[in-house]
Amino acid sequence: MQFIKKIFVFPRILYFLIPILIISFVFTNFPSNGIEVTSIEFIGEATLPKGLIFQKTEVGGLSGITYNAKNNLYYAISDDRGRKTAARFYTLKIDLSKSSLQKNGIIPVGVTTLLNENGQTFSPGETDTEGIVLTNKATVFISSEGNAEKLINPSIKEFSLSSGKEIVTLPIPNKFLPDKTSQQGIRNNLAFESLTITPDNKHLFTATENALIQDGVAAKPNIGSPCRILQYNLLNNQPEREFLYQTEPVTPFLNLIGKFASGLPDLLALDNQGHFLSLERSFTGLGFAISLFQVSLEAADDIHNIDSLLAVDSKNIKPVKKKLLLDLRKLNVLPDNIEGLTLGPKLGDGQQSLILISDNNFNSLQRSQILAFKIKIETPLIRLLRRLLPNINL
């Protein structure tokens, strides 16, 4: 009798097992196993008052931002270089409680001075802090572009969130370091603007804003630049992989003053599998051209063993994949010098918020601007279920 019961139980197991096998097969053969941003919606703009003084410092030069979900606060790094006040980052409140950003929705609530390993402030010009990202250890990593003209190396350092004191300095591969001959390394003011960390806190990424000298040309009108993404393993704090990121060529519009700049100012890790958002920012002579891309490292070649892209046939190198999500010039808002981005809290409808921030260069003609967006992010499983069950609202 027990044997007969087992015979009838077995088909029941198949009812559960077969759908799982089918889903697993389709899932593993799905075109992309990464998350994907499927929509983006602008939900508001706010600016800080010009010349705002907070705790005896001028708030400005905000070139990177990161979000602390535990206390709903943001940390924004200033690229002051210590000329007005010592190197520092600000703590901000950004009100998205109504699932939108109002004009008065930003409030500075704190400022943290950065201290070196000896507990001293950094000397003026010693740092050019551009990127900031929060870890799960109550610390922040901060990137500095250095100064190629003065042979000050770019750097990535970890600081205490509470005291601002330096804890760790990550090693920088030699190919990124400027030398006296000006034949290799970063270009001045075109180095490590970006900084991001994976959700599992195992990998940190930065990128050059433009090409290394030995890799190719800096961006010019109608010509992009081959940047390098640099990946660190935070289990041993060592650099391990590099990838080619090609910026888009930008056509200036009524460039009467003859100035042009374009590059990659920030990255944002979306998952642990090499999927990011990236910002590309260009000064075109008449305002700024800002574009937001989705980026994937899938199938991209690791180029960390290549010291010079000009010394090899770079046409055989597979760069990272990019997909344009948004050209901010199409918004009903005038974007300023946008240099940083971070994910914020979930909004009232459960969708993810995204925050962009601008560097006003301490220029009275520019603004410390915050732009807020609502983005929809789909996992591979959701995309699979949407394909299998098109009539169900997911």
Side-chain angles (χ1 to χ4, degrees):
M1 191 69 178
Q2 292 296 325
F3 177 74
I4 295 176
K5 287 183 178 180
K6 289 181 180 181
I7 292 177
F8 284 98
V9 168
F10 182 70
R12 296 178 187 175
I13 297 176
L14 288 180
Y15 288 130
F16 295 96
L17 184 60
I18 291 175
I20 292 175
L21 291 174
I22 294 174
I23 291 176
S24 298
F25 175 79
V26 177
F27 184 79
T28 54
N29 289 277
F30 204 61
S32 174
N33 288 327
I35 64 176
E36 183 176 337
V37 177
T38 57
S39 67
I40 181 167
E41 177 185 345
F42 178 60
I43 58 171
E45 171 195 16
T47 58
L48 291 170
K50 292 185 178 181
L52 174 64
I53 302 298
F54 178 76
Q55 295 185 8
K56 299 181 180 180
T57 70
E58 181 177 346
V59 181
L62 305 181
S63 59
I65 188 167
T66 188
Y67 177 61
N68 189 336
K70 291 182 179 179
N71 52 23
N72 195 27
L73 293 173
Y74 298 79
Y75 309 111
I77 187 70
S78 173
D79 67 355
D80 183 4
R81 299 194 186 196
R83 292 171 181 167
K84 292 180 177 289
T85 319
R88 62 201 180 278
F89 67 85
Y90 291 92
T91 302
L92 306 175
K93 284 185 177 180
I94 300 177
D95 186 5
L96 298 177
S97 59
K98 296 181 180 179
S99 294
S100 64
L101 177 61
Q102 306 300 312
K103 291 183 178 181
N104 59 351
I106 315 172
I107 302 175
V109 295
V111 58
T112 304
T113 300
L114 299 181
L115 306 174
N116 62 22
E117 57 187 356
N118 298 319
Q120 304 296 316
T121 58
F122 290 90
S123 302
E126 184 179 355
T127 64
D128 182 10
T129 48
E130 297 282 357
I132 185 170
V133 66
L134 180 70
T135 76
N136 59 359
K137 302 181 296 181
T139 65
V140 288
F141 279 101
I142 294 175
S143 62
S144 171
E145 288 195 293
N147 189 322
E149 294 177 352
K150 296 182 179 180
L151 298 181
I152 299 175
N153 291 333
S155 67
I156 302 173
K157 297 177 181 289
E158 185 177 12
F159 295 87
S160 166
L161 188 60
S162 58
S163 69
K165 186 176 179 181
E166 178 184 333
I167 300 171
V168 171
T169 298
L170 300 184
I172 307 296
N174 288 334
K175 67 171 73 72
F176 293 89
L177 305 182
D179 66 4
K180 294 180 180 179
T181 66
S182 298
Q183 298 299 308
Q184 78 148 41
I186 58 165
R187 287 180 159 91
N188 199 49
N189 207 34
L190 293 172
F192 296 158
E193 286 242 0
S194 57
L195 203 62
T196 188
I197 195 169
T198 52
D200 62 9
N201 273 250
K202 291 183 179 180
H203 293 96
L204 179 138
F205 294 82
T206 187
T208 57
E209 188 179 357
N210 267 207
L212 298 176
I213 292 173
Q214 69 271 26
D215 281 346
V217 299
K220 299 177 181 179
N222 303 305
I223 299 176
S225 187
C227 306
R228 284 190 189 236
I229 295 177
L230 173 57
Q231 174 183 320
Y232 282 86
N233 185 335
L234 292 182
L235 298 179
N236 58 17
N237 287 339
Q238 294 297 311
E240 57 180 8
R241 296 200 294 172
E242 296 171 21
F243 304 93
L244 173 61
Y245 180 108
Q246 183 71 43
T247 65
E248 297 300 303
V250 175
T251 301
F253 178 70
L254 292 178
N255 192 351
L256 301 177
I257 62 176
K259 292 185 178 181
F260 179 86
S262 184
L264 171 64
D266 211 0
L267 290 169
L268 176 62
L270 294 175
D271 61 14
N272 303 318
Q273 286 75 46
H275 299 93
F276 303 83
L277 296 181
S278 71
L279 271 177
E280 293 190 26
R281 178 273 322 269
S282 302
F283 178 71
T284 64
L286 186 65
F288 292 90
I290 312 294
S291 296
L292 185 65
F293 293 86
Q294 181 165 326
V295 176
S296 172
L297 301 185
E298 290 180 25
D301 289 331
D302 178 6
I303 59 172
H304 83 275
N305 285 324
I306 301 175
D307 289 334
S308 169
L309 294 179
L310 292 176
V312 300
D313 187 357
S314 59
K315 293 181 180 179
N316 295 325
I317 296 175
K318 294 179 181 178
V320 303
K321 294 180 181 179
K322 296 166 53 184
K323 182 179 78 170
L324 179 65
L325 293 177
L326 179 66
D327 182 342
L328 271 66
R329 289 175 294 186
K330 296 182 179 180
L331 298 178
N332 188 26
V333 63
L334 184 63
D336 207 284
N337 183 30
I338 301 294
E339 290 194 357
L341 77 167
T342 187
L343 296 178
K346 293 291 181 66
L347 300 172
D349 60 0
Q351 297 300 322
Q352 178 67 58
S353 63
L354 175 71
I355 295 293
L356 276 59
I357 194 167
S358 75
D359 174 1
N360 69 350
N361 293 308
F362 296 95
N363 185 330
S364 61
L365 298 178
Q366 293 183 253
R367 297 162 292 158
S368 294
Q369 178 189 49
I370 299 283
L371 302 178
F373 298 85
K374 176 170 67 174
I375 61 175
K376 187 174 183 179
I377 301 177
E378 288 191 348
T379 65
L381 179 59
I382 292 297
R383 295 204 304 279
L384 172 60
L385 293 175
R386 191 181 297 280
R387 173 177 290 189
L388 297 176
L389 306 169
N391 296 324
I392 295 181
N393 186 22
L394 297 174

